[in-house]
Amino acid sequence: MIRTATPTDIPVIHALIRELAAYEKEPQEARATPEQLHEALFGQHPGAYAHIATDDTTGEPVGFALWFLNFSTWRGVHGIYLEDLYVRPTARGTGHGKALLTELARICVDRGYERLEWSVLDWNRPAIDFYEALGARPQDEWTVYRLTDGALRKLGAPNGS
């Protein structure tokens, strides 16, 4: 079962993010606090959204998708950027990941969004195979760039240096 996250889901979303970071071999990078997640998802001006996958028998959360809107200047409409998709190892292979992506695709279709995009680590072959089996295709001609920490602060300083 897939459901829209509620404020009471913040602790489980936080835990799942930390599990995902450990799986991706970067646990030290998962610095978001529950308070930050609450503000981003349920604050006065939410900029992100989340869905929870639950076990069909117990109702316990087993995964999540966290996403936000992007915009295509070429298409002239919004799309969804999937920031995180994670299903606990004990629940993988039971359809939860596909159900989460299906829900996001449904939102795109219902709202007239023309893209559902995400990134995947190049070493994560199980995820790549899963996504390609659904019909997703890599965008090999694009390279992701990121500014963080000191480089971001340096560029964003008042004098830009």
Side-chain angles (χ1 to χ4, degrees), residues 8-49:
T8 61
D9 290 313
I10 292 296
V12 76
I13 292 169
H14 187 253
L16 291 165
I17 289 169
R18 297 196 52 79
E19 289 176 33
L20 173 60
Y23 174 77
E24 291 183 349
K25 304 173 185 156
E26 296 281 348
Q28 71 283 357
E29 294 299 319
R31 298 181 287 199
T33 66
E35 294 78 19
Q36 288 172 314
L37 293 172
H38 187 275
E39 182 62 27
L41 295 167
F42 305 106
Q44 187 173 353
H45 301 289
Y49 309 90

mmCIF file of all heavy atoms in Angstrom, residues 8-49:
data_model
loop_
_atom_site.group_PDB
_atom_site.id
_atom_site.type_symbol
_atom_site.label_atom_id
_atom_site.label_comp_id
_atom_site.label_asym_id
_atom_site.label_seq_id
_atom_site.Cartn_x
_atom_site.Cartn_y
_atom_site.Cartn_z
ATOM 1 N N THR A 8 3.115 12.684 11.270
ATOM 2 C CA THR A 8 3.505 11.611 12.191
ATOM 3 C C THR A 8 4.519 10.656 11.574
ATOM 4 O O THR A 8 5.115 9.847 12.282
ATOM 5 C CB THR A 8 2.271 10.821 12.676
ATOM 6 O OG1 THR A 8 1.630 10.237 11.540
ATOM 7 C CG2 THR A 8 1.307 11.714 13.443
ATOM 8 N N ASP A 9 4.731 10.755 10.251
ATOM 9 C CA ASP A 9 5.701 9.902 9.571
ATOM 10 C C ASP A 9 7.130 10.450 9.623
ATOM 11 O O ASP A 9 8.052 9.785 9.158
ATOM 12 C CB ASP A 9 5.314 9.714 8.100
ATOM 13 C CG ASP A 9 4.072 8.868 7.941
ATOM 14 O OD1 ASP A 9 3.985 7.804 8.578
ATOM 15 O OD2 ASP A 9 3.186 9.286 7.161
ATOM 16 N N ILE A 10 7.316 11.639 10.148
ATOM 17 C CA ILE A 10 8.655 12.244 10.148
ATOM 18 C C ILE A 10 9.703 11.318 10.772
ATOM 19 O O ILE A 10 10.775 11.125 10.177
ATOM 20 C CB ILE A 10 8.648 13.636 10.818
ATOM 21 C CG1 ILE A 10 7.854 14.614 9.953
ATOM 22 C CG2 ILE A 10 10.058 14.146 11.076
ATOM 23 C CD1 ILE A 10 8.443 14.895 8.587
ATOM 24 N N PRO A 11 9.480 10.704 11.926
ATOM 25 C CA PRO A 11 10.522 9.825 12.485
ATOM 26 C C PRO A 11 10.891 8.662 11.554
ATOM 27 O O PRO A 11 12.068 8.333 11.405
ATOM 28 C CB PRO A 11 9.917 9.318 13.794
ATOM 29 C CG PRO A 11 8.927 10.376 14.177
ATOM 30 C CD PRO A 11 8.362 10.874 12.870
ATOM 31 N N VAL A 12 9.907 8.057 10.909
ATOM 32 C CA VAL A 12 10.214 6.937 10.014
ATOM 33 C C VAL A 12 10.894 7.434 8.740
ATOM 34 O O VAL A 12 11.810 6.784 8.224
ATOM 35 C CB VAL A 12 8.975 6.064 9.720
ATOM 36 C CG1 VAL A 12 8.035 6.707 8.733
ATOM 37 C CG2 VAL A 12 9.416 4.696 9.212
ATOM 38 N N ILE A 13 10.484 8.579 8.218
ATOM 39 C CA ILE A 13 11.155 9.133 7.042
ATOM 40 C C ILE A 13 12.616 9.418 7.380
ATOM 41 O O ILE A 13 13.521 9.090 6.606
ATOM 42 C CB ILE A 13 10.427 10.402 6.539
ATOM 43 C CG1 ILE A 13 9.054 10.027 5.977
ATOM 44 C CG2 ILE A 13 11.266 11.133 5.495
ATOM 45 C CD1 ILE A 13 8.160 11.231 5.693
ATOM 46 N N HIS A 14 12.842 10.003 8.536
ATOM 47 C CA HIS A 14 14.212 10.294 8.970
ATOM 48 C C HIS A 14 15.028 9.007 9.073
ATOM 49 O O HIS A 14 16.168 8.938 8.594
ATOM 50 C CB HIS A 14 14.181 11.043 10.306
ATOM 51 C CG HIS A 14 15.511 11.526 10.744
ATOM 52 N ND1 HIS A 14 16.202 10.948 11.785
ATOM 53 C CD2 HIS A 14 16.295 12.530 10.262
ATOM 54 C CE1 HIS A 14 17.338 11.579 11.945
ATOM 55 N NE2 HIS A 14 17.435 12.538 11.031
ATOM 56 N N ALA A 15 14.449 7.985 9.667
ATOM 57 C CA ALA A 15 15.151 6.699 9.797
ATOM 58 C C ALA A 15 15.437 6.083 8.428
ATOM 59 O O ALA A 15 16.534 5.558 8.191
ATOM 60 C CB ALA A 15 14.318 5.736 10.655
ATOM 61 N N LEU A 16 14.475 6.141 7.519
ATOM 62 C CA LEU A 16 14.681 5.576 6.185
ATOM 63 C C LEU A 16 15.746 6.343 5.408
ATOM 64 O O LEU A 16 16.536 5.740 4.674
ATOM 65 C CB LEU A 16 13.356 5.558 5.414
ATOM 66 C CG LEU A 16 12.311 4.564 5.928
ATOM 67 C CD1 LEU A 16 10.935 4.873 5.344
ATOM 68 C CD2 LEU A 16 12.721 3.136 5.631
ATOM 69 N N ILE A 17 15.798 7.655 5.573
ATOM 70 C CA ILE A 17 16.847 8.443 4.920
ATOM 71 C C ILE A 17 18.215 8.006 5.432
ATOM 72 O O ILE A 17 19.165 7.847 4.656
ATOM 73 C CB ILE A 17 16.619 9.952 5.148
ATOM 74 C CG1 ILE A 17 15.413 10.423 4.338
ATOM 75 C CG2 ILE A 17 17.869 10.761 4.802
ATOM 76 C CD1 ILE A 17 14.942 11.824 4.675
ATOM 77 N N ARG A 18 18.321 7.790 6.721
ATOM 78 C CA ARG A 18 19.606 7.363 7.294
ATOM 79 C C ARG A 18 19.976 5.954 6.798
ATOM 80 O O ARG A 18 21.134 5.682 6.520
ATOM 81 C CB ARG A 18 19.559 7.458 8.802
ATOM 82 C CG ARG A 18 19.344 8.938 9.229
ATOM 83 C CD ARG A 18 19.649 9.249 10.652
ATOM 84 N NE ARG A 18 20.936 8.838 11.118
ATOM 85 C CZ ARG A 18 22.092 9.483 10.894
ATOM 86 N NH1 ARG A 18 22.115 10.565 10.164
ATOM 87 N NH2 ARG A 18 23.207 9.027 11.406
ATOM 88 N N GLU A 19 18.982 5.077 6.673
ATOM 89 C CA GLU A 19 19.244 3.735 6.127
ATOM 90 C C GLU A 19 19.716 3.828 4.682
ATOM 91 O O GLU A 19 20.645 3.118 4.277
ATOM 92 C CB GLU A 19 17.989 2.871 6.195
ATOM 93 C CG GLU A 19 17.608 2.442 7.594
ATOM 94 C CD GLU A 19 16.304 1.658 7.618
ATOM 95 O OE1 GLU A 19 16.015 0.916 6.643
ATOM 96 O OE2 GLU A 19 15.565 1.781 8.623
ATOM 97 N N LEU A 20 19.081 4.699 3.897
ATOM 98 C CA LEU A 20 19.484 4.893 2.513
ATOM 99 C C LEU A 20 20.912 5.415 2.431
ATOM 100 O O LEU A 20 21.714 4.935 1.621
ATOM 101 C CB LEU A 20 18.528 5.848 1.806
ATOM 102 C CG LEU A 20 18.923 6.284 0.391
ATOM 103 C CD1 LEU A 20 19.036 5.093 -0.550
ATOM 104 C CD2 LEU A 20 17.936 7.311 -0.134
ATOM 105 N N ALA A 21 21.247 6.376 3.255
ATOM 106 C CA ALA A 21 22.606 6.934 3.254
ATOM 107 C C ALA A 21 23.633 5.857 3.591
ATOM 108 O O ALA A 21 24.710 5.809 2.984
ATOM 109 C CB ALA A 21 22.701 8.091 4.235
ATOM 110 N N ALA A 22 23.325 4.991 4.528
ATOM 111 C CA ALA A 22 24.239 3.894 4.863
ATOM 112 C C ALA A 22 24.368 2.936 3.683
ATOM 113 O O ALA A 22 25.475 2.492 3.355
ATOM 114 C CB ALA A 22 23.739 3.160 6.105
ATOM 115 N N TYR A 23 23.257 2.618 3.022
ATOM 116 C CA TYR A 23 23.286 1.747 1.851
ATOM 117 C C TYR A 23 24.148 2.354 0.747
ATOM 118 O O TYR A 23 24.872 1.648 0.048
ATOM 119 C CB TYR A 23 21.859 1.509 1.340
ATOM 120 C CG TYR A 23 21.806 0.737 0.042
ATOM 121 C CD1 TYR A 23 22.004 -0.643 0.029
ATOM 122 C CD2 TYR A 23 21.564 1.373 -1.167
ATOM 123 C CE1 TYR A 23 21.970 -1.363 -1.152
ATOM 124 C CE2 TYR A 23 21.527 0.672 -2.359
ATOM 125 C CZ TYR A 23 21.733 -0.697 -2.343
ATOM 126 O OH TYR A 23 21.705 -1.397 -3.524
ATOM 127 N N GLU A 24 24.068 3.675 0.595
ATOM 128 C CA GLU A 24 24.838 4.363 -0.445
ATOM 129 C C GLU A 24 26.268 4.691 0.005
ATOM 130 O O GLU A 24 26.982 5.410 -0.673
ATOM 131 C CB GLU A 24 24.100 5.626 -0.892
ATOM 132 C CG GLU A 24 22.828 5.294 -1.644
ATOM 133 C CD GLU A 24 22.092 6.515 -2.174
ATOM 134 O OE1 GLU A 24 22.435 7.652 -1.799
ATOM 135 O OE2 GLU A 24 21.158 6.318 -2.978
ATOM 136 N N LYS A 25 26.648 4.159 1.184
ATOM 137 C CA LYS A 25 28.021 4.286 1.703
ATOM 138 C C LYS A 25 28.405 5.722 2.036
ATOM 139 O O LYS A 25 29.556 6.104 1.946
ATOM 140 C CB LYS A 25 29.017 3.662 0.720
ATOM 141 C CG LYS A 25 28.692 2.216 0.399
ATOM 142 C CD LYS A 25 29.571 1.662 -0.683
ATOM 143 C CE LYS A 25 29.097 0.258 -1.011
ATOM 144 N NZ LYS A 25 29.437 -0.185 -2.315
ATOM 145 N N GLU A 26 27.427 6.522 2.436
ATOM 146 C CA GLU A 26 27.655 7.930 2.797
ATOM 147 C C GLU A 26 26.852 8.308 4.046
ATOM 148 O O GLU A 26 26.201 9.356 4.059
ATOM 149 C CB GLU A 26 27.262 8.848 1.639
ATOM 150 C CG GLU A 26 28.078 8.675 0.390
ATOM 151 C CD GLU A 26 29.440 9.364 0.457
ATOM 152 O OE1 GLU A 26 29.680 10.165 1.374
ATOM 153 O OE2 GLU A 26 30.259 9.078 -0.417
ATOM 154 N N PRO A 27 26.904 7.507 5.118
ATOM 155 C CA PRO A 27 26.047 7.824 6.269
ATOM 156 C C PRO A 27 26.333 9.197 6.880
ATOM 157 O O PRO A 27 25.423 9.847 7.396
ATOM 158 C CB PRO A 27 26.343 6.697 7.260
ATOM 159 C CG PRO A 27 27.685 6.189 6.870
ATOM 160 C CD PRO A 27 27.759 6.351 5.369
ATOM 161 N N GLN A 28 27.556 9.654 6.798
ATOM 162 C CA GLN A 28 27.915 10.950 7.378
ATOM 163 C C GLN A 28 27.272 12.120 6.636
ATOM 164 O O GLN A 28 27.182 13.221 7.169
ATOM 165 C CB GLN A 28 29.441 11.122 7.411
ATOM 166 C CG GLN A 28 30.092 11.335 6.067
ATOM 167 C CD GLN A 28 30.255 10.092 5.199
ATOM 168 O OE1 GLN A 28 29.919 8.979 5.603
ATOM 169 N NE2 GLN A 28 30.759 10.274 3.983
ATOM 170 N N GLU A 29 26.815 11.898 5.409
ATOM 171 C CA GLU A 29 26.195 12.972 4.623
ATOM 172 C C GLU A 29 24.724 13.187 4.957
ATOM 173 O O GLU A 29 24.155 14.208 4.588
ATOM 174 C CB GLU A 29 26.356 12.691 3.131
ATOM 175 C CG GLU A 29 27.794 12.743 2.659
ATOM 176 C CD GLU A 29 28.453 14.100 2.872
ATOM 177 O OE1 GLU A 29 27.782 15.135 2.641
ATOM 178 O OE2 GLU A 29 29.619 14.127 3.290
ATOM 179 N N ALA A 30 24.097 12.251 5.635
ATOM 180 C CA ALA A 30 22.677 12.370 5.991
ATOM 181 C C ALA A 30 22.565 13.218 7.253
ATOM 182 O O ALA A 30 22.476 12.711 8.360
ATOM 183 C CB ALA A 30 22.052 10.997 6.182
ATOM 184 N N ARG A 31 22.569 14.534 7.067
ATOM 185 C CA ARG A 31 22.578 15.466 8.190
ATOM 186 C C ARG A 31 21.222 16.114 8.452
ATOM 187 O O ARG A 31 21.080 16.894 9.384
ATOM 188 C CB ARG A 31 23.624 16.552 7.942
ATOM 189 C CG ARG A 31 25.030 15.963 7.838
ATOM 190 C CD ARG A 31 26.063 17.022 7.630
ATOM 191 N NE ARG A 31 25.981 17.549 6.277
ATOM 192 C CZ ARG A 31 26.954 18.221 5.667
ATOM 193 N NH1 ARG A 31 28.064 18.477 6.298
ATOM 194 N NH2 ARG A 31 26.796 18.649 4.433
ATOM 195 N N ALA A 32 20.236 15.824 7.644
ATOM 196 C CA ALA A 32 18.912 16.422 7.838
ATOM 197 C C ALA A 32 18.348 16.017 9.191
ATOM 198 O O ALA A 32 18.457 14.859 9.604
ATOM 199 C CB ALA A 32 17.957 15.984 6.729
ATOM 200 N N THR A 33 17.739 16.962 9.863
ATOM 201 C CA THR A 33 17.112 16.690 11.149
ATOM 202 C C THR A 33 15.615 16.448 10.950
ATOM 203 O O THR A 33 15.043 16.868 9.939
ATOM 204 C CB THR A 33 17.291 17.884 12.107
ATOM 205 O OG1 THR A 33 16.554 19.004 11.579
ATOM 206 C CG2 THR A 33 18.762 18.245 12.292
ATOM 207 N N PRO A 34 14.984 15.807 11.917
ATOM 208 C CA PRO A 34 13.529 15.661 11.820
ATOM 209 C C PRO A 34 12.821 17.010 11.700
ATOM 210 O O PRO A 34 11.839 17.138 10.962
ATOM 211 C CB PRO A 34 13.150 14.940 13.119
ATOM 212 C CG PRO A 34 14.388 14.150 13.463
ATOM 213 C CD PRO A 34 15.533 15.047 13.047
ATOM 214 N N GLU A 35 13.337 18.015 12.370
ATOM 215 C CA GLU A 35 12.728 19.345 12.308
ATOM 216 C C GLU A 35 12.822 19.923 10.891
ATOM 217 O O GLU A 35 11.860 20.523 10.389
ATOM 218 C CB GLU A 35 13.406 20.286 13.316
ATOM 219 C CG GLU A 35 13.179 19.905 14.768
ATOM 220 C CD GLU A 35 14.044 18.734 15.263
ATOM 221 O OE1 GLU A 35 15.080 18.419 14.624
ATOM 222 O OE2 GLU A 35 13.671 18.114 16.266
ATOM 223 N N GLN A 36 13.964 19.747 10.250
ATOM 224 C CA GLN A 36 14.116 20.223 8.875
ATOM 225 C C GLN A 36 13.168 19.492 7.937
ATOM 226 O O GLN A 36 12.562 20.096 7.047
ATOM 227 C CB GLN A 36 15.557 20.038 8.403
ATOM 228 C CG GLN A 36 16.547 20.986 9.043
ATOM 229 C CD GLN A 36 17.969 20.630 8.682
ATOM 230 O OE1 GLN A 36 18.369 19.463 8.740
ATOM 231 N NE2 GLN A 36 18.743 21.639 8.303
ATOM 232 N N LEU A 37 13.048 18.188 8.110
ATOM 233 C CA LEU A 37 12.138 17.413 7.266
ATOM 234 C C LEU A 37 10.694 17.868 7.473
ATOM 235 O O LEU A 37 9.938 18.009 6.506
ATOM 236 C CB LEU A 37 12.275 15.925 7.568
ATOM 237 C CG LEU A 37 13.600 15.295 7.179
ATOM 238 C CD1 LEU A 37 13.693 13.877 7.713
ATOM 239 C CD2 LEU A 37 13.788 15.321 5.669
ATOM 240 N N HIS A 38 10.318 18.103 8.715
ATOM 241 C CA HIS A 38 8.960 18.565 8.987
ATOM 242 C C HIS A 38 8.693 19.891 8.288
ATOM 243 O O HIS A 38 7.642 20.075 7.656
ATOM 244 C CB HIS A 38 8.719 18.698 10.495
ATOM 245 C CG HIS A 38 7.297 19.006 10.818
ATOM 246 N ND1 HIS A 38 6.795 20.292 10.815
ATOM 247 C CD2 HIS A 38 6.261 18.189 11.113
ATOM 248 C CE1 HIS A 38 5.517 20.251 11.111
ATOM 249 N NE2 HIS A 38 5.162 18.995 11.293
ATOM 250 N N GLU A 39 9.632 20.815 8.375
ATOM 251 C CA GLU A 39 9.454 22.122 7.733
ATOM 252 C C GLU A 39 9.362 21.975 6.213
ATOM 253 O O GLU A 39 8.522 22.602 5.569
ATOM 254 C CB GLU A 39 10.605 23.060 8.108
ATOM 255 C CG GLU A 39 10.480 24.448 7.533
ATOM 256 C CD GLU A 39 9.255 25.222 8.009
ATOM 257 O OE1 GLU A 39 8.748 24.961 9.122
ATOM 258 O OE2 GLU A 39 8.789 26.097 7.244
ATOM 259 N N ALA A 40 10.229 21.146 5.624
ATOM 260 C CA ALA A 40 10.245 20.970 4.168
ATOM 261 C C ALA A 40 8.969 20.319 3.654
ATOM 262 O O ALA A 40 8.462 20.675 2.588
ATOM 263 C CB ALA A 40 11.457 20.144 3.750
ATOM 264 N N LEU A 41 8.437 19.357 4.411
ATOM 265 C CA LEU A 41 7.272 18.598 3.964
ATOM 266 C C LEU A 41 5.935 19.183 4.416
ATOM 267 O O LEU A 41 4.927 19.036 3.714
ATOM 268 C CB LEU A 41 7.370 17.152 4.450
ATOM 269 C CG LEU A 41 8.514 16.323 3.869
ATOM 270 C CD1 LEU A 41 8.700 15.039 4.666
ATOM 271 C CD2 LEU A 41 8.256 16.017 2.403
ATOM 272 N N PHE A 42 5.923 19.818 5.594
ATOM 273 C CA PHE A 42 4.642 20.223 6.181
ATOM 274 C C PHE A 42 4.642 21.651 6.722
ATOM 275 O O PHE A 42 3.680 22.059 7.364
ATOM 276 C CB PHE A 42 4.248 19.256 7.302
ATOM 277 C CG PHE A 42 4.216 17.829 6.846
ATOM 278 C CD1 PHE A 42 5.209 16.944 7.223
ATOM 279 C CD2 PHE A 42 3.212 17.383 6.004
ATOM 280 C CE1 PHE A 42 5.197 15.629 6.793
ATOM 281 C CE2 PHE A 42 3.192 16.071 5.566
ATOM 282 C CZ PHE A 42 4.188 15.195 5.957
ATOM 283 N N GLY A 43 5.692 22.397 6.458
ATOM 284 C CA GLY A 43 5.772 23.760 6.961
ATOM 285 C C GLY A 43 4.824 24.698 6.233
ATOM 286 O O GLY A 43 3.980 24.281 5.424
ATOM 287 N N GLN A 44 5.001 25.985 6.489
ATOM 288 C CA GLN A 44 4.127 26.996 5.894
ATOM 289 C C GLN A 44 4.207 26.991 4.369
ATOM 290 O O GLN A 44 3.213 27.212 3.689
ATOM 291 C CB GLN A 44 4.505 28.376 6.436
ATOM 292 C CG GLN A 44 3.544 29.454 6.003
ATOM 293 C CD GLN A 44 3.856 30.780 6.694
ATOM 294 O OE1 GLN A 44 4.687 30.866 7.579
ATOM 295 N NE2 GLN A 44 3.160 31.823 6.268
ATOM 296 N N HIS A 45 5.396 26.740 3.823
ATOM 297 C CA HIS A 45 5.582 26.691 2.371
ATOM 298 C C HIS A 45 6.306 25.392 2.006
ATOM 299 O O HIS A 45 7.494 25.404 1.702
ATOM 300 C CB HIS A 45 6.397 27.897 1.889
ATOM 301 C CG HIS A 45 5.772 29.208 2.227
ATOM 302 N ND1 HIS A 45 4.630 29.659 1.600
ATOM 303 C CD2 HIS A 45 6.107 30.148 3.131
ATOM 304 C CE1 HIS A 45 4.292 30.827 2.107
ATOM 305 N NE2 HIS A 45 5.168 31.151 3.038
ATOM 306 N N PRO A 46 5.606 24.259 2.019
ATOM 307 C CA PRO A 46 6.284 22.996 1.729
ATOM 308 C C PRO A 46 6.875 22.987 0.322
ATOM 309 O O PRO A 46 6.244 23.446 -0.627
ATOM 310 C CB PRO A 46 5.202 21.935 1.871
ATOM 311 C CG PRO A 46 3.921 22.649 2.057
ATOM 312 C CD PRO A 46 4.195 24.095 2.260
ATOM 313 N N GLY A 47 8.096 22.499 0.220
ATOM 314 C CA GLY A 47 8.759 22.423 -1.072
ATOM 315 C C GLY A 47 9.045 20.996 -1.491
ATOM 316 O O GLY A 47 9.608 20.759 -2.551
ATOM 317 N N ALA A 48 8.678 20.054 -0.647
ATOM 318 C CA ALA A 48 8.922 18.644 -0.937
ATOM 319 C C ALA A 48 7.701 17.844 -0.480
ATOM 320 O O ALA A 48 6.891 18.325 0.326
ATOM 321 C CB ALA A 48 10.177 18.158 -0.228
ATOM 322 N N TYR A 49 7.607 16.635 -1.012
ATOM 323 C CA TYR A 49 6.467 15.771 -0.740
ATOM 324 C C TYR A 49 6.984 14.360 -0.537
ATOM 325 O O TYR A 49 8.061 14.010 -1.015
ATOM 326 C CB TYR A 49 5.482 15.811 -1.917
ATOM 327 C CG TYR A 49 5.144 17.230 -2.287
ATOM 328 C CD1 TYR A 49 5.896 17.920 -3.238
ATOM 329 C CD2 TYR A 49 4.106 17.904 -1.648
ATOM 330 C CE1 TYR A 49 5.612 19.244 -3.557
ATOM 331 C CE2 TYR A 49 3.813 19.229 -1.959
ATOM 332 C CZ TYR A 49 4.580 19.888 -2.919
ATOM 333 O OH TYR A 49 4.312 21.196 -3.212
#
